[in-house]
Amino acid sequence: MSTKSRLNNLKSYLKKPHNIILLVLLIVLGYLTLVPLITIVTDTLTVHSSEARIIKQASGTFTLFHWKKMFASGITSQKIFYEPFLNTMVVASLSCLMAILVGGFFAWAVTRTNLRCKAFISTVFVFPYIMPAWTLAMAWLNFFRNSRVGGVPGLFTVLTGIETANWFAYGLFPIVIVQGIHYAPFAYILIGGILRNMDANLEEAAMLLHANRWQITRKITIPIVKPALLSTILLVFSSTMSAFAVPAFLGSPVRYQVLTTQMYRTLNGINPGYGYIMALVMIVIGVGILMLNQWITGKRKAYTTITGKSSNISLFNLRKARTPLTIVLVIILLMVAILPLVSFAIESFIMAPGNYSFSNFTTEFWIGPGRADIANSEPGILRNPSIWLGLTNSLKLSVIVSLIAGTVGMLAGYSIAKRRGSLLATWVNNLTFFPYLMPSMAFGAIYLSMFAVRRGFIPAMYGSFGLLVIVGSIKYLPFASRSGINAMLQLSGEIEEAGTIIGIGWFKRMTKIIFPIQKTTFISGYLLPFISCMRELSLFILLVSPSTRILTTLLFQYNEKGWNQYANAINLMIVVIVVGFNLMVNKLTGASIDKGIGSN
């Protein structure tokens, strides 16, 4: 082929906007995802300035010290790595099991039975996932802390006179309960979607053959749900494995360490090399989970569960249990979704913790000017400059991240769908999803490693607001890109082709045709990053500075200092903003977080 022909082919290739988008994303995402990985590997083999005296080598020189100390130093390795690793696997496995059982049961009850109040249950059940995970962790402490470890009793002890045992109030048991409840809506959405769309003719045919309910469930329903169930198990396991806030709130009082809390300690201590190794371990596990998920997806049998024929789903008749079961489920949801908010409000208004008499209530922690005998004269949160700075930073960060991640995700979804099956589209698709596999704290750690010093023309960005924007945008890009891909695959190519034939330019086609048609799905791609960023702690805890602090990191700092009234007030503020914003967007556009999760 002549040079002129090659140039003509290149010009023709670059005339298509989706090709340019894919090439740009390949370069940018390759740099922002693969280069940090190389950097973090290098940091595990490098002497850091804070540990030069311990290792007795010059800062910046090559060393295997971290790897030997982490995996082959007897009792030290046991405490630093093996014990937290085992705790992490146990917590993730049990939390995953609980999420699947609770979410799967609610999905079955809402989609496959004649349960009452389905709309209410379906709406409220998503709240625990919309709210930050540590919301439930703080609520658990408010209710069940004891005086032996917590200093003052919780609401349960005050109301009943029964002091909770340490194993019930702190450590493994409450971490599993809280994380299981938090991720149960995730399982509910994914499993419920399959059950809701399943062709009822399959069950009706089985009934005509005189199969009983258990046989239908075992031979038809479970095999159809199995692919979604396996994917849900792997994704929930990955998420619970990488959780930081819940183990920090509920495990720290009894020194129950998991990999993320241990990583936080080491990266903020004098041995950051240990933390970078832990981050690598968690990334390897995350990638392994993705590969396992893809292998299972590739091996599974194909079932046609959605047909063009209209058919009614065969509902299981609960008979006399219908009303009692509805009441029980509604009470459980109110306890999980509403009662925590009540506890935050109560705890933020009491002066002396543990004393719930009316005379002990005060507005000091909301509008007080600050007193010398309370929290180092810290003013109430509505008069506190630090809180207002944190709120401003949180809102600004969430809006910017959602705009960047949402827009890039929409363009990525459009381009990947247009070139679906090509090598370039496959690479970009994998790069956009890769950040989802990285545990949030590990992801923050690799950017801490990469941008702590100047890299070529890129200046050192540690502690800057720009670094938070970059990290948040890349981390939440998978949510937006999955929504974009899903929206484009549902859209017939003939619609855009018609616009091209009559001479409508690409930008106008996107803004006037494609986006309006799939508005709800695309907006979900903007909503998910906003809500995720607003409630995020693990991703930013290592990267914030005094000038870039956000509400979640402030809450964590107040909680660590024991200023629980301030922490509860901030928690209530975050939950109200997140839930309120989700409801407002849903009311105005029809988009919601559960639609975004369902498309992912």
Side-chain angles (χ1 to χ4, degrees):
M1 184 182 293
S2 66
T3 304
K4 187 176 180 180
S5 297
R6 289 193 181 97
L7 286 174
N8 288 335
N9 289 340
L10 180 61
K11 287 179 182 179
S12 177
Y13 183 85
L14 295 179
K15 278 183 180 180
K16 297 175 180 177
H18 53 264
N19 289 331
I20 297 175
I21 293 170
L22 288 175
L23 287 172
V24 172
L25 287 176
L26 180 67
I27 295 169
V28 174
L29 293 178
Y31 180 78
L32 291 175
T33 56
L34 300 181
V35 173
L37 270 181
I38 297 171
T39 303
I40 201 171
V41 172
T42 302
D43 275 341
T44 66
L45 300 169
T46 304
V47 178
H48 298 268
S49 57
S50 60
E51 57 193 10
R53 186 178 300 177
I54 299 172
I55 299 178
K56 297 179 181 178
Q57 288 182 235
S59 176
T61 57
F62 175 83
T63 181
L64 291 173
F65 175 84
H66 308 119
W67 290 90
K68 292 177 181 177
K69 200 75 172 177
M70 180 74 72
F71 298 111
S73 59
I75 296 176
T76 303
S77 298
Q78 183 72 22
K79 289 294 182 183
I80 293 176
F81 178 76
Y82 291 113
E83 189 175 304
F85 177 78
L86 179 61
N87 290 343
T88 299
M89 294 299 105
V90 172
V91 165
S93 299
L94 294 179
S95 300
C96 182
L97 177 62
M98 182 177 178
I100 295 298
L101 291 177
V102 174
F105 176 77
F106 270 85
W108 173 80
V110 169
T111 62
R112 311 299 290 179
T113 75
N114 61 339
L115 190 73
R116 301 182 190 276
C117 304
K118 288 185 179 182
F120 174 81
I121 291 172
S122 188
T123 301
V124 177
F125 191 73
V126 182
F127 275 26
Y129 187 77
I130 295 176
M131 295 187 294
W134 36 262
T135 297
L136 296 174
M138 287 192 68
W140 187 278
L141 290 177
N142 288 340
F143 280 101
F144 299 118
R145 66 174 179 263
N146 59 41
S147 56
R148 292 190 298 276
V149 176
V152 293
L155 282 165
F156 177 80
T157 301
V158 170
L159 294 173
T160 64
I162 303 171
E163 186 154 44
T164 54
N166 280 352
W167 68 266
F168 188 89
Y170 317 99
L172 174 64
F173 179 76
I175 292 173
V176 168
I177 297 295
V178 166
Q179 291 194 158
I181 291 173
H182 176 68
Y183 287 103
F186 194 93
Y188 167 81
I189 292 167
L190 294 178
I191 297 172
I194 298 294
L195 290 174
R196 189 176 290 109
N197 293 322
M198 193 175 77
D199 186 8
N201 290 329
L202 299 171
E203 293 183 340
E204 290 171 3
M207 288 180 179
L208 291 174
L209 296 172
H210 305 291
N212 59 40
R213 177 61 61 174
W214 168 242
Q215 288 174 321
I216 293 172
T217 301
R218 186 166 56 90
K219 295 290 188 179
I220 297 176
T221 308
I222 292 179
I224 289 174
V225 175
K226 187 179 177 181
L229 185 61
L230 291 174
S231 291
T232 304
I233 288 172
L234 293 174
L235 292 174
V236 172
F237 182 90
S238 178
S239 299
T240 52
M241 177 195 71
S242 63
F244 166 73
V246 174
F249 279 110
L250 297 175
S252 296
V254 289
R255 298 181 181 178
Y256 187 85
Q257 299 290 342
V258 294
L259 281 179
T260 50
T261 55
Q262 188 75 321
M263 190 194 312
Y264 177 72
R265 291 178 62 196
T266 54
L267 288 173
N268 277 321
I270 61 173
N271 295 116
Y274 298 163
Y276 291 129
I277 291 177
M278 292 178 196
L280 274 181
V281 169
M282 297 183 76
I283 290 169
V284 168
I285 295 173
V287 172
I289 287 173
L290 174 65
M291 294 174 67
L292 180 60
N293 185 40
Q294 290 181 334
W295 180 77
I296 290 172
T297 303
K299 294 280 285 186
R300 74 175 185 237
K301 296 178 181 179
Y303 297 96
T304 300
T305 61
I306 304 174
T307 69
K309 298 178 181 178
S310 176
S311 57
N312 296 319
I313 295 174
S314 176
L315 297 179
F316 180 77
N317 189 356
L318 296 171
R319 294 188 174 87
K320 293 182 179 180
R322 185 186 185 193
T323 299
L325 181 61
T326 301
I327 293 172
V328 169
L329 295 185
V330 168
I331 290 174
I332 290 173
L333 286 179
L334 291 176
M335 291 176 64
V336 170
I338 307 300
L339 209 54
L341 304 183
V342 176
S343 78
F344 302 145
I346 292 174
E347 293 289 334
S348 68
F349 282 103
I350 59 174
M351 178 60 73
N355 180 359
Y356 298 97
S357 61
F358 187 75
S359 60
N360 191 47
F361 278 69
T362 178
T363 58
E364 179 68 33
F365 304 103
W366 284 91
I367 58 174
R371 287 170 35 176
D373 59 332
I374 299 176
N376 295 337
S377 303
E378 194 84 8
I381 68 165
L382 296 181
R383 301 178 61 172
N384 193 321
S386 295
I387 302 298
W388 283 107
L389 175 63
L391 175 60
T392 302
N393 285 340
S394 288
L395 289 172
K396 184 168 67 171
L397 178 63
S398 299
V399 169
I400 294 174
V401 165
S402 68
L403 288 175
I404 294 174
T407 302
V408 174
M410 178 178 65
L411 293 174
Y414 167 83
S415 304
I416 291 168
K418 294 291 282 186
R419 290 293 309 277
R420 192 182 186 195
S422 70
L423 184 61
L424 180 58
T426 302
W427 270 97
V428 173
N429 186 31
N430 290 335
L431 285 174
T432 59
F433 188 72
F434 189 61
Y436 182 85
L437 302 175
M438 296 191 188
S440 292
M441 184 164 288
F443 197 73
I446 65 176
Y447 276 81
L448 172 67
S449 171
M450 182 175 179
F451 291 107
V453 297
R454 186 180 184 88
R455 301 274 178 186
F457 65 91
I458 301 176
M461 297 181 67
Y462 175 68
S464 69
F465 188 80
L467 180 57
L468 300 184
V469 170
I470 293 172
V471 172
S473 299
I474 299 299
K475 178 62 179 174
Y476 301 127
L477 179 59
F479 296 145
S481 66
R482 296 305 110 175
S483 293
I485 292 170
N486 185 66
M488 290 306 303
L489 291 179
Q490 291 176 341
L491 195 64
S492 172
E494 295 172 354
I495 296 175
E496 188 181 2
E497 288 172 10
T500 305
I501 291 171
I502 62 176
I504 299 176
W506 176 79
F507 183 79
K508 199 169 184 179
R509 294 200 304 271
M510 289 293 294
T511 56
K512 298 295 185 181
I513 300 175
I514 295 175
F515 188 87
I517 292 175
Q518 290 291 64
K519 178 182 67 175
T520 300
T521 307
F522 281 134
I523 290 178
S524 295
Y526 285 91
L527 178 63
L528 276 163
F530 177 89
I531 290 178
S532 300
C533 192
M534 194 71 201
R535 68 185 188 180
E536 182 61 66
L537 172 64
S538 307
L539 184 64
F540 303 120
I541 189 70
L542 298 171
L543 304 175
V544 294
S545 63
S547 62
T548 61
R549 65 184 67 178
I550 55 178
L551 280 182
T552 51
T553 57
L554 276 172
L555 184 152
F556 186 71
Q557 291 169 10
Y558 280 120
N559 187 75
E560 280 195 317
K561 293 176 181 177
W563 301 347
N564 293 326
Q565 295 95 331
Y566 293 96
N568 277 282
I570 296 170
N571 203 352
L572 186 61
M573 179 185 293
I574 293 172
V575 171
V576 168
I577 291 171
V578 169
V579 175
F581 189 82
N582 183 66
L583 292 175
M584 180 186 71
V585 172
N586 179 249
K587 189 75 174 177
L588 293 175
T589 68
S592 64
I593 193 169
D594 58 306
K595 290 184 176 66
I597 295 170
S599 69
N600 294 325

